Amino acid sequence: MNRRRTTDPVRHRREVQQARSLLFVATTRARDSLDIFWHGTPSPFLAPLMTAGR
């Protein structure tokens, strides 16, 4: 296993931003409604959405 790969903070931030961007694009493409499902623990990016409707 490449130790630098798991401890490089710049790469980690870039990968987190890439995941956040992918979720943003997916949600903004929805026209009439949006249903989000997950298995296991939901993405931390969903936390604001899960509390917004309450």
Side-chain angles (χ1 to χ4, degrees), residues 5-52:
R5 183 175 182 189
T6 59
T7 60
D8 183 357
V10 174
R11 181 177 178 157
H12 176 72
R13 280 194 302 272
R14 185 175 53 237
E15 290 177 356
V16 168
Q17 183 57 42
Q18 183 179 20
R20 181 179 290 143
S21 296
L22 183 59
L23 179 62
F24 175 81
V25 169
T27 57
T28 58
R29 296 285 192 258
R31 292 187 59 158
D32 299 322
S33 67
L34 174 67
D35 295 320
I36 299 175
F37 299 89
W38 63 86
H39 178 75
T41 305
S43 168
F45 305 132
L46 296 178
L49 299 174
M50 293 168 61
T51 59

